[in-house]
Amino acid sequence: MSEEGAHQAYATPIAASLAEFTEKLIARRGVEQANVLFGGQIGPATEALSARTNSIGVGDVAPDFSLPTAERRTWNLAEHLAQGKFSSLVVVFYRGTWCGYCNIYLRGLLAILSPLSDANAALIAVSPEAAPESIDNAGVGSTFPVLIDQGGKVAEQFGLTFEMNDAAKSILKCSGFDIDKRNADGRWTLPVPGTFVIDRSGHVAYAHVDADYRNRPEPQEIVTICRSLRR
């Protein structure tokens, strides 16, 4: 995956960048193996979402949570809201630095930090991945808080957790991606990619959750929502 400058990432639609990444992944792995990877993650994620009774959506009060940051501080939602500094908060559930799709999306979000700031919005990422240095390698560690969600407890509060099937696990292991070793709890629990915008009162004003991890919302769409909440 090539690294693009912030201005390029903002100018290029995320959908186009993700589609290009999919084409390269299929070319590298072959159609059969790529389909096993896709199906082995999208299928279980779809089943997990459909079985959920606690999914968080627009209009719901966001569940309060406290998590350690990659810099080993503690971040708390209630405290953040109580400060009253921001009109909205963007919460992104991030599978990990091993996921090329997540990295493309986060770099797209990096490119809209200035418009988000203008909209008086804050941004955090929540990931089950343990190692702060791996977060830094993705180029986001010192830009906005990356919270370590050990065991996917906060992702579970939002109704997002799932585990890919054994066939997909096997392919990733053979490629050197031992997710259980990367995650803070030593398991394969992952969040379905989700992006939420929480307003000043703690209610969810926007939610994008898709079992197909190849699909992400356009950053400009998030900026538009945050601008509508600015006050």
Side-chain angles (χ1 to χ4, degrees), residues 154-206:
V154 173
E156 175 59 33
Q157 285 182 273
F158 279 77
L160 300 177
T161 52
F162 81 103
E163 189 169 313
M164 69 182 74
N165 68 20
D166 289 342
K169 289 179 185 177
S170 178
I171 290 176
L172 288 175
K173 283 183 178 179
C174 290
S175 301
F177 297 113
D178 291 311
I179 310 305
D180 51 339
K181 294 179 181 177
R182 289 170 175 255
N183 284 353
D185 66 339
R187 298 166 57 200
W188 284 79
T189 303
L190 295 173
V192 174
T195 299
F196 299 85
V197 178
I198 301 172
D199 67 19
R200 199 184 283 266
S201 70
H203 289 77
V204 175
Y206 170 89

Coordinates of all heavy atoms in Angstrom, one line a residue, residues 154-206:
V154 N -15.2 -2.4 24.8 CA -16.0 -1.3 24.3 C -16.7 -1.6 23.0 O -17.8 -1.2 22.7 CB -15.1 0.0 24.2 CG1 -15.8 1.1 23.6 CG2 -14.6 0.3 25.6
A155 N -16.0 -2.3 22.1 CA -16.6 -2.7 20.8 C -17.8 -3.5 21.1 O -18.8 -3.4 20.4 CB -15.6 -3.4 20.0
E156 N -17.8 -4.3 22.1 CA -18.9 -5.1 22.5 C -20.1 -4.3 23.0 O -21.3 -4.5 22.7 CB -18.5 -6.1 23.5 CG -19.7 -7.0 24.1 CD -20.4 -7.8 23.1 OE1 -19.8 -8.3 22.1 OE2 -21.6 -8.0 23.2
Q157 N -19.8 -3.2 23.7 CA -20.8 -2.3 24.2 C -21.5 -1.6 23.0 O -22.7 -1.3 23.1 CB -20.1 -1.2 25.0 CG -19.8 -1.6 26.4 CD -19.2 -0.4 27.2 OE1 -18.0 -0.1 27.2 NE2 -20.0 0.3 27.9
F158 N -20.8 -1.4 21.9 CA -21.4 -0.8 20.7 C -22.0 -1.9 19.8 O -22.5 -1.6 18.7 CB -20.3 0.0 20.0 CG -20.1 1.4 20.5 CD1 -19.3 1.6 21.7 CD2 -20.6 2.5 19.9 CE1 -19.1 2.8 22.2 CE2 -20.4 3.8 20.4 CZ -19.7 3.9 21.6
G159 N -21.9 -3.2 20.2 CA -22.5 -4.2 19.4 C -21.7 -4.6 18.2 O -22.3 -5.1 17.2
L160 N -20.3 -4.6 18.2 CA -19.5 -4.7 17.0 C -18.6 -6.0 17.0 O -18.1 -6.3 15.9 CB -18.6 -3.5 16.9 CG -19.3 -2.1 16.7 CD1 -18.3 -1.0 16.6 CD2 -20.2 -2.1 15.5
T161 N -18.4 -6.6 18.1 CA -17.4 -7.7 18.1 C -17.8 -8.9 17.3 O -18.9 -9.3 17.2 CB -17.1 -8.1 19.5 OG1 -18.3 -8.4 20.2 CG2 -16.4 -7.0 20.3
F162 N -16.8 -9.6 16.7 CA -16.9 -10.8 16.0 C -15.6 -11.5 15.9 O -14.5 -11.0 16.3 CB -17.5 -10.6 14.6 CG -16.4 -10.2 13.6 CD1 -15.9 -11.1 12.6 CD2 -15.9 -8.9 13.6 CE1 -14.9 -10.7 11.7 CE2 -14.9 -8.5 12.6 CZ -14.4 -9.5 11.7
E163 N -15.6 -12.7 15.4 CA -14.3 -13.5 15.2 C -14.4 -14.1 13.8 O -15.4 -14.8 13.5 CB -14.1 -14.5 16.3 CG -12.8 -15.2 16.3 CD -12.5 -16.0 17.5 OE1 -12.7 -15.6 18.6 OE2 -12.0 -17.2 17.4
M164 N -13.3 -13.9 13.0 CA -13.3 -14.5 11.7 C -13.2 -16.0 11.8 O -12.9 -16.6 12.8 CB -12.1 -14.0 10.9 CG -10.8 -14.4 11.4 SD -9.4 -13.6 10.4 CE -9.5 -11.9 11.1
N165 N -13.5 -16.7 10.7 CA -13.5 -18.2 10.7 C -12.1 -18.7 10.6 O -11.1 -18.0 10.3 CB -14.4 -18.8 9.6 CG -13.9 -18.5 8.2 OD1 -12.7 -18.3 7.9 ND2 -14.8 -18.7 7.2
D166 N -11.9 -20.0 10.8 CA -10.6 -20.7 10.8 C -9.8 -20.6 9.5 O -8.6 -20.5 9.5 CB -10.7 -22.1 11.3 CG -11.2 -22.3 12.7 OD1 -11.0 -21.3 13.5 OD2 -11.6 -23.4 13.1
A167 N -10.6 -20.6 8.4 CA -9.9 -20.6 7.1 C -9.2 -19.2 6.9 O -8.1 -19.1 6.4 CB -10.9 -20.8 6.0
A168 N -9.9 -18.1 7.3 CA -9.3 -16.8 7.2 C -8.1 -16.6 8.1 O -7.1 -16.1 7.8 CB -10.4 -15.7 7.4
K169 N -8.3 -17.2 9.4 CA -7.2 -17.1 10.3 C -6.0 -17.8 9.8 O -4.9 -17.3 10.0 CB -7.7 -17.8 11.6 CG -8.7 -17.1 12.5 CD -9.0 -17.9 13.7 CE -10.1 -17.3 14.5 NZ -10.5 -18.1 15.7
S170 N -6.2 -19.0 9.2 CA -5.0 -19.7 8.7 C -4.3 -19.0 7.6 O -3.0 -19.0 7.6 CB -5.5 -21.1 8.1 OG -4.5 -21.8 7.6
I171 N -5.0 -18.3 6.7 CA -4.3 -17.5 5.7 C -3.5 -16.4 6.3 O -2.3 -16.1 5.9 CB -5.3 -17.0 4.7 CG1 -5.9 -18.2 3.8 CG2 -4.7 -15.9 3.7 CD1 -7.0 -17.7 2.9
L172 N -4.1 -15.7 7.2 CA -3.4 -14.6 7.9 C -2.2 -15.1 8.7 O -1.1 -14.4 8.6 CB -4.3 -13.8 8.8 CG -5.4 -13.0 8.0 CD1 -6.4 -12.3 9.0 CD2 -4.8 -11.9 7.2
K173 N -2.3 -16.2 9.3 CA -1.2 -16.7 10.1 C 0.0 -17.1 9.2 O 1.1 -16.8 9.5 CB -1.6 -18.0 10.9 CG -2.4 -17.7 12.1 CD -2.7 -19.0 12.9 CE -3.5 -18.8 14.2 NZ -3.8 -20.0 14.8
C174 N -0.4 -17.7 8.1 CA 0.7 -18.1 7.1 C 1.4 -16.9 6.5 O 2.5 -17.0 6.0 CB 0.1 -19.0 6.0 SG -0.4 -20.6 6.6
S175 N 0.7 -15.7 6.5 CA 1.2 -14.5 6.0 C 2.0 -13.7 7.1 O 2.4 -12.6 6.8 CB 0.1 -13.6 5.4 OG -0.5 -14.3 4.3
G176 N 2.0 -14.3 8.3 CA 2.7 -13.6 9.4 C 1.9 -12.7 10.2 O 2.4 -12.0 11.1
F177 N 0.6 -12.7 10.0 CA -0.3 -11.9 10.8 C -1.0 -12.8 11.9 O -2.1 -13.3 11.7 CB -1.4 -11.2 9.9 CG -0.8 -10.3 8.9 CD1 -0.9 -10.6 7.5 CD2 -0.2 -9.1 9.3 CE1 -0.3 -9.7 6.6 CE2 0.3 -8.2 8.4 CZ 0.3 -8.5 7.0
D178 N -0.4 -12.9 13.0 CA -1.0 -13.6 14.1 C -1.8 -12.6 15.0 O -1.2 -11.9 15.9 CB 0.1 -14.3 15.0 CG 0.8 -15.4 14.3 OD1 0.0 -16.3 13.7 OD2 2.0 -15.4 14.2
I179 N -3.0 -12.4 14.7 CA -3.8 -11.4 15.3 C -3.9 -11.6 16.8 O -4.0 -10.7 17.6 CB -5.2 -11.3 14.7 CG1 -5.1 -11.3 13.1 CG2 -6.0 -10.1 15.2 CD1 -4.3 -10.1 12.6
D180 N -4.0 -12.9 17.2 CA -4.1 -13.2 18.6 C -2.8 -12.7 19.4 O -2.9 -12.3 20.6 CB -4.3 -14.6 18.9 CG -3.3 -15.5 18.2 OD1 -2.7 -15.1 17.2 OD2 -3.1 -16.7 18.6
K181 N -1.7 -12.6 18.7 CA -0.5 -12.1 19.3 C -0.4 -10.6 19.3 O 0.2 -10.0 20.2 CB 0.8 -12.7 18.7 CG 0.9 -14.2 18.8 CD 2.1 -14.7 18.1 CE 2.2 -16.2 18.3 NZ 3.4 -16.8 17.5
R182 N -1.1 -10.0 18.4 CA -1.1 -8.5 18.3 C -2.1 -7.9 19.2 O -1.9 -6.8 19.7 CB -1.5 -8.1 16.8 CG -0.4 -8.4 15.8 CD -0.9 -8.1 14.4 NE 0.1 -8.3 13.4 CZ 0.7 -7.2 12.8 NH1 0.3 -6.0 13.0 NH2 1.7 -7.5 11.9
N183 N -3.2 -8.6 19.5 CA -4.3 -8.1 20.3 C -3.9 -8.1 21.8 O -3.3 -9.1 22.2 CB -5.6 -8.8 20.0 CG -6.2 -8.4 18.7 OD1 -5.8 -7.4 18.1 ND2 -7.3 -9.0 18.3
A184 N -4.4 -7.2 22.5 CA -4.1 -7.0 23.9 C -4.5 -8.2 24.8 O -3.9 -8.5 25.8 CB -4.7 -5.8 24.5
D185 N -5.6 -8.9 24.4 CA -6.1 -10.0 25.2 C -5.6 -11.4 24.7 O -6.0 -12.4 25.2 CB -7.6 -10.0 25.3 CG -8.3 -10.3 23.9 OD1 -7.6 -10.1 22.9 OD2 -9.4 -10.6 23.9
G186 N -4.8 -11.4 23.6 CA -4.4 -12.7 23.1 C -5.4 -13.5 22.4 O -5.3 -14.8 22.3
R187 N -6.5 -12.8 21.8 CA -7.5 -13.5 21.1 C -7.7 -12.9 19.7 O -7.1 -11.9 19.4 CB -8.8 -13.4 21.9 CG -8.8 -14.1 23.3 CD -9.9 -13.7 24.2 NE -11.2 -14.0 23.5 CZ -12.4 -13.4 23.9 NH1 -12.4 -12.4 24.8 NH2 -13.5 -13.7 23.3
W188 N -8.6 -13.5 19.0 CA -8.9 -13.0 17.6 C -10.1 -12.1 17.5 O -10.6 -11.8 16.5 CB -9.1 -14.2 16.7 CG -7.8 -14.9 16.3 CD1 -7.1 -15.8 17.0 CD2 -7.1 -14.8 15.1 NE1 -6.0 -16.3 16.4 CE2 -6.0 -15.6 15.1 CE3 -7.3 -14.0 13.9 CZ2 -5.1 -15.7 14.1 CZ3 -6.4 -14.1 12.9 CH2 -5.3 -15.0 13.0
T189 N -10.6 -11.7 18.7 CA -11.8 -10.8 18.7 C -11.5 -9.5 18.0 O -10.5 -8.8 18.3 CB -12.2 -10.5 20.1 OG1 -12.5 -11.8 20.8 CG2 -13.5 -9.7 20.2
L190 N -12.3 -9.1 17.1 CA -12.2 -7.9 16.3 C -13.5 -7.1 16.3 O -14.5 -7.6 16.5 CB -11.8 -8.2 14.8 CG -10.5 -8.9 14.6 CD1 -10.4 -9.2 13.1 CD2 -9.3 -8.0 15.0
P191 N -13.4 -5.8 16.1 CA -14.6 -5.0 15.9 C -15.0 -4.9 14.4 O -14.1 -4.9 13.5 CB -14.2 -3.6 16.3 CG -12.7 -3.5 16.0 CD -12.2 -4.9 16.1
V192 N -16.3 -5.1 14.1 CA -16.7 -4.7 12.8 C -16.4 -3.2 12.7 O -16.7 -2.4 13.6 CB -18.3 -4.9 12.7 CG1 -18.8 -4.4 11.4 CG2 -18.6 -6.4 12.9
P193 N -15.8 -2.8 11.5 CA -15.5 -1.4 11.4 C -16.7 -0.5 11.6 O -17.8 -0.7 11.0 CB -15.0 -1.3 10.0 CG -14.4 -2.6 9.7 CD -15.4 -3.6 10.4
G194 N -16.6 0.4 12.5 CA -17.7 1.3 12.8 C -17.2 2.7 13.0 O -16.2 2.9 13.6
T195 N -18.0 3.7 12.5 CA -17.7 5.1 12.7 C -18.9 5.8 13.3 O -20.0 5.7 12.8 CB -17.3 5.8 11.4 OG1 -16.1 5.2 10.9 CG2 -17.0 7.3 11.7
F196 N -18.7 6.4 14.5 CA -19.9 7.1 15.2 C -19.5 8.5 15.4 O -18.4 8.9 15.8 CB -20.1 6.4 16.5 CG -20.5 4.9 16.4 CD1 -19.5 4.0 16.3 CD2 -21.8 4.5 16.3 CE1 -19.8 2.6 16.2 CE2 -22.2 3.2 16.2 CZ -21.2 2.2 16.1
V197 N -20.5 9.4 15.3 CA -20.4 10.8 15.7 C -21.3 11.0 16.9 O -22.5 10.8 16.8 CB -20.7 11.8 14.5 CG1 -20.6 13.2 15.0 CG2 -19.8 11.6 13.3
I198 N -20.7 11.4 18.0 CA -21.4 11.6 19.2 C -21.5 13.1 19.5 O -20.5 13.9 19.4 CB -20.7 11.0 20.4 CG1 -20.6 9.4 20.1 CG2 -21.4 11.2 21.7 CD1 -19.7 8.7 21.1
D199 N -22.7 13.6 19.7 CA -22.9 15.0 19.9 C -22.6 15.4 21.4 O -22.2 14.6 22.2 CB -24.3 15.5 19.5 CG -25.4 14.9 20.4 OD1 -25.1 14.5 21.6 OD2 -26.6 14.9 20.0
R200 N -22.7 16.7 21.6 CA -22.3 17.3 22.9 C -23.1 16.6 24.1 O -22.6 16.6 25.2 CB -22.6 18.8 22.9 CG -21.8 19.6 23.9 CD -22.2 21.0 23.8 NE -21.6 21.7 22.8 CZ -20.5 22.4 22.9 NH1 -19.9 22.5 24.0 NH2 -20.0 23.1 21.8
S201 N -24.3 16.2 23.8 CA -25.2 15.6 24.9 C -24.9 14.1 25.1 O -25.5 13.5 26.0 CB -26.6 15.8 24.6 OG -27.0 15.0 23.5
G202 N -24.0 13.5 24.3 CA -23.7 12.1 24.4 C -24.5 11.2 23.6 O -24.4 10.0 23.7
H203 N -25.3 11.8 22.7 CA -26.2 11.0 21.8 C -25.5 10.7 20.5 O -24.7 11.6 20.0 CB -27.5 11.6 21.5 CG -28.4 11.6 22.7 ND1 -28.3 12.5 23.8 CD2 -29.5 10.8 23.0 CE1 -29.2 12.2 24.7 NE2 -30.0 11.3 24.3
V204 N -25.8 9.6 19.9 CA -25.2 9.3 18.6 C -25.9 10.0 17.5 O -27.1 9.9 17.3 CB -25.2 7.8 18.3 CG1 -24.7 7.4 16.9 CG2 -24.4 7.0 19.4
A205 N -25.2 10.9 16.7 CA -25.8 11.7 15.7 C -25.6 11.0 14.3 O -26.3 11.4 13.3 CB -25.2 13.1 15.7
Y206 N -24.6 10.1 14.2 CA -24.3 9.5 13.0 C -23.6 8.1 13.3 O -22.9 8.0 14.3 CB -23.3 10.3 12.2 CG -22.7 9.7 11.0 CD1 -23.3 9.7 9.7 CD2 -21.5 9.0 11.1 CE1 -22.7 9.1 8.6 CE2 -20.9 8.3 9.9 CZ -21.5 8.4 8.7 OH -21.0 7.8 7.6

